[in-house]
Amino acid sequence: MKKISFSWQGVLALVLTAIAIITLPLMAEGAPDPVSPLTVGLTITLIVALAFISFASLPKPYIAAVLLVGAHWAAWVLLADVTGNEGLATRSFFLLIAACWLLAWRCVTELSAMTPGSSLGRSFLRLLIPAIFGAWILIIWEALTRGAGIPFVLLPPPSAIGVRIAGSLPILADDVRQTIFKAVFAGYIIGCGAGFAVAILADRVAFLRCGLLPIGNMVSALPIIGVAPIMVMWFGFDWQSKAAVVTIMTFFPMLVNTVAGLAASGPMERDLMQTYASNYWQTLLKLRLPAAMPFIFNALKINSTLALIGAIVAEFFGTPIVGMGFRISTEIGRMNVDMVWAEIAVAALVGSIFYGVVALAERAVTFWHPSIRGG
């Protein structure tokens, strides 16, 4: 029976670790918080052990679990060592971080090859693999900014951004309430609802269909930086002007996608409905709208990101002293870069949740579609 299964990630991790040992220490001379030799030795031993474990012919869940815990533990120890020694990390530190990353890569490879029998297990893997990928983006970001001593005003480390978020929760909550729950949601609902209603009307009236779609393509190309100041002049500085910008940005994607979706049903299905003596509205509700749902949800997902971008950018051109766009433009002028990144992180989180809710609704409504059944 085969006892060893070499992986190129494990082999390369061993090579990088060997080079790191040759180029020790981890920190340059004169570091204010020197790393103890015991910590360095235990970390290197852990990385080497993980590399050899990745070669073992063990069940994939065991190898993946050990690599998951071990690689992230070793990376955490290395990041703890560089804290307080910013800008003094040597080549050995970065080589060991790269070795940990390779072992995490091997972990993801093992997880990707697994085929859980239950839907819960498959859903867990679909969440775990992107989570590991995202965690390593943050780990490498932290290692580079602290290890290389990148100036704080250029790129703060993720840990500093996290501290800023934790210390500014009331301010961030007020900004989210102003931008998301007022401007984004109002504009999104109005824009998508109006686009859907006009699409139904355009499908009924050929004149509107031929006249509106070219205008929709033209309006979609309008720069938001030109529309936002006009909306502020028309509707004032509060959230109503931002909702108007979001409405404009979301209206035409919904219109174009819905019109295309209503034409997606085949002629055979329409002929079958005619043989049942169905009128226009019966055919629309029972055949054409269900067939158009993938197109409609595609517009909803696109608009979920467009709405957030539109509201934040619109706040650059006049707003009360609250809002995510206002905070970004104000704090960057004060060189409070960590607060700017905190707002960006919160916006990304809210936007991802918004998109995820729409995607879950799509799976529930279009469960019959091959793309959903295949997933």
Side-chain angles (χ1 to χ4, degrees), residues 2 24 65 89 92 103 111 117 127 129 131 138 203 219 234 242 246 248 251 253 287 292 294 306 330 349 355:
K2 190 176 180 181
L24 285 173
S92 178
L103 295 172
L111 292 173
L127 293 176
I129 293 174
L138 297 179
D203 179 74
V219 173
W234 287 1
K242 288 70 185 175
V246 174
I248 294 174
F251 175 82
L287 171 64
L306 285 178
T330 302
L349 177 62
Y355 185 94

Coordinates of all heavy atoms in Angstrom, one line a residue, residues 2 24 65 89 92 103 111 117 127 129 131 138 203 219 234 242 246 248 251 253 287 292 294 306 330 349 355:
K2 N 0.5 2.2 -0.7 CA 1.3 3.5 -0.8 C 1.2 4.2 0.5 O 0.1 4.5 1.0 CB 0.7 4.3 -2.0 CG 1.6 5.5 -2.3 CD 1.0 6.2 -3.5 CE 1.9 7.4 -3.9 NZ 1.3 8.2 -5.0
L24 N 18.4 32.8 9.3 CA 18.0 33.3 10.6 C 19.0 34.4 11.0 O 20.1 34.4 10.7 CB 17.9 32.2 11.6 CG 16.7 31.2 11.5 CD1 16.9 30.1 12.4 CD2 15.4 32.0 11.8
A65 N -7.7 18.9 8.3 CA -8.0 19.5 9.6 C -6.6 19.9 10.3 O -6.5 21.0 10.9 CB -8.7 18.5 10.5
A89 N 11.6 42.9 10.0 CA 11.6 41.5 9.6 C 12.6 41.2 8.5 O 12.8 42.0 7.6 CB 10.2 41.2 9.1
S92 N 14.1 35.6 6.4 CA 13.6 34.4 7.1 C 12.1 34.5 7.5 O 11.4 33.5 7.3 CB 14.5 34.1 8.3 OG 14.0 33.0 9.0
L103 N 1.2 25.5 2.9 CA 0.6 24.5 3.6 C -1.0 24.7 3.7 O -1.8 23.8 3.6 CB 1.1 24.3 5.0 CG 2.6 23.9 5.1 CD1 3.1 24.0 6.5 CD2 2.7 22.5 4.6
L111 N -9.4 19.9 0.8 CA -10.8 20.2 1.0 C -11.6 20.1 -0.3 O -12.7 19.7 -0.4 CB -11.0 21.5 1.7 CG -10.5 21.6 3.1 CD1 -10.6 23.1 3.6 CD2 -11.4 20.7 4.0
G117 N -21.3 13.6 1.6 CA -22.5 13.0 1.2 C -23.7 13.8 1.6 O -24.8 13.6 0.9
L127 N -18.4 27.3 2.2 CA -18.1 28.5 3.0 C -16.7 28.4 3.5 O -16.0 29.5 3.6 CB -19.1 28.5 4.2 CG -20.6 28.8 3.8 CD1 -21.4 28.7 5.1 CD2 -20.7 30.2 3.2
I129 N -13.8 27.0 2.3 CA -12.7 27.2 1.3 C -12.6 28.7 1.0 O -11.5 29.3 1.1 CB -13.0 26.4 0.0 CG1 -12.8 24.9 0.4 CG2 -12.0 26.8 -1.1 CD1 -13.2 24.0 -0.8
A131 N -13.4 31.1 3.0 CA -13.0 31.7 4.2 C -11.5 31.6 4.4 O -10.8 32.5 4.9 CB -13.7 31.1 5.4
L138 N -5.7 38.5 4.3 CA -5.5 39.3 5.5 C -4.1 39.0 6.1 O -3.4 39.9 6.6 CB -6.6 39.2 6.5 CG -8.0 39.6 6.0 CD1 -9.0 39.3 7.1 CD2 -8.0 41.0 5.6
D203 N -43.1 45.5 -22.8 CA -43.4 44.2 -23.4 C -44.7 44.2 -24.1 O -44.9 43.6 -25.1 CB -43.3 43.1 -22.4 CG -43.6 41.7 -23.0 OD1 -42.7 41.2 -23.8 OD2 -44.7 41.2 -22.7
V219 N -28.3 55.9 -21.0 CA -28.3 56.4 -19.6 C -27.4 55.5 -18.7 O -26.7 56.0 -17.8 CB -29.7 56.3 -19.0 CG1 -29.7 56.7 -17.5 CG2 -30.6 57.3 -19.8
W234 N -31.5 69.0 -7.0 CA -32.9 68.8 -7.2 C -33.6 68.4 -5.9 O -34.7 68.8 -5.5 CB -33.2 67.7 -8.2 CG -32.9 68.2 -9.6 CD1 -32.5 69.4 -10.0 CD2 -33.1 67.4 -10.8 NE1 -32.4 69.5 -11.4 CE2 -32.8 68.3 -11.9 CE3 -33.5 66.1 -11.1 CZ2 -32.8 67.8 -13.2 CZ3 -33.6 65.7 -12.4 CH2 -33.2 66.6 -13.5
K242 N -29.5 60.9 -2.7 CA -28.7 59.7 -2.9 C -29.7 58.6 -3.4 O -29.3 57.8 -4.2 CB -28.0 59.3 -1.6 CG -26.9 60.2 -1.2 CD -27.3 61.6 -0.8 CE -26.2 62.5 -0.6 NZ -26.7 63.9 -0.2
V246 N -29.4 56.3 -6.8 CA -29.5 54.8 -6.8 C -30.7 54.4 -7.7 O -30.6 53.4 -8.5 CB -29.7 54.3 -5.4 CG1 -30.0 52.8 -5.4 CG2 -28.5 54.6 -4.5
I248 N -31.8 55.9 -10.4 CA -31.3 56.0 -11.8 C -30.4 54.9 -12.2 O -30.5 54.3 -13.3 CB -30.7 57.4 -12.0 CG1 -31.7 58.5 -11.9 CG2 -30.0 57.4 -13.4 CD1 -31.1 59.9 -12.0
F251 N -32.5 51.4 -12.3 CA -33.7 51.3 -13.1 C -33.5 50.6 -14.5 O -34.2 49.6 -14.8 CB -34.3 52.7 -13.4 CG -35.5 52.8 -14.4 CD1 -36.7 52.5 -13.9 CD2 -35.3 53.1 -15.7 CE1 -37.8 52.5 -14.8 CE2 -36.4 53.1 -16.6 CZ -37.6 52.8 -16.1
P253 N -30.8 48.7 -15.7 CA -30.4 47.3 -15.7 C -31.6 46.3 -15.4 O -31.7 45.3 -16.1 CB -29.4 47.2 -14.5 CG -28.8 48.5 -14.4 CD -29.9 49.5 -14.8
L287 N -46.1 31.4 -17.6 CA -45.0 31.0 -18.5 C -43.8 32.0 -18.6 O -42.7 31.7 -18.2 CB -45.5 30.7 -19.9 CG -44.4 30.4 -20.9 CD1 -43.7 29.1 -20.6 CD2 -45.1 30.3 -22.3
A292 N -38.5 34.3 -17.1 CA -37.6 35.5 -17.0 C -37.0 35.6 -15.6 O -36.1 36.5 -15.4 CB -38.5 36.7 -17.2
P294 N -34.5 34.0 -14.0 CA -33.1 34.1 -13.9 C -32.5 35.5 -14.4 O -31.6 36.0 -13.8 CB -32.6 33.0 -14.9 CG -33.7 32.0 -14.8 CD -35.0 32.8 -14.7
L306 N -24.4 48.0 -7.5 CA -24.5 49.3 -8.1 C -25.2 50.3 -7.1 O -24.7 51.5 -7.0 CB -25.3 49.3 -9.4 CG -24.7 48.7 -10.6 CD1 -25.7 48.7 -11.8 CD2 -23.4 49.5 -11.0
T330 N -14.2 62.8 4.4 CA -13.8 63.7 5.5 C -12.5 63.1 6.1 O -11.5 63.8 6.3 CB -14.9 63.8 6.5 OG1 -16.0 64.4 5.9 CG2 -14.4 64.7 7.7
L349 N -18.7 44.3 3.7 CA -19.5 43.3 4.4 C -20.9 43.5 4.2 O -21.6 42.5 3.9 CB -19.2 43.5 5.9 CG -19.9 42.5 6.8 CD1 -19.6 41.1 6.5 CD2 -19.6 42.9 8.3
Y355 N -25.9 41.0 -1.3 CA -25.8 40.2 -2.5 C -26.2 38.7 -2.1 O -26.9 38.0 -2.9 CB -24.4 40.2 -3.1 CG -24.2 39.4 -4.4 CD1 -24.3 40.1 -5.6 CD2 -23.9 38.1 -4.4 CE1 -24.1 39.4 -6.8 CE2 -23.7 37.4 -5.5 CZ -23.8 38.0 -6.7 OH -23.6 37.4 -7.9

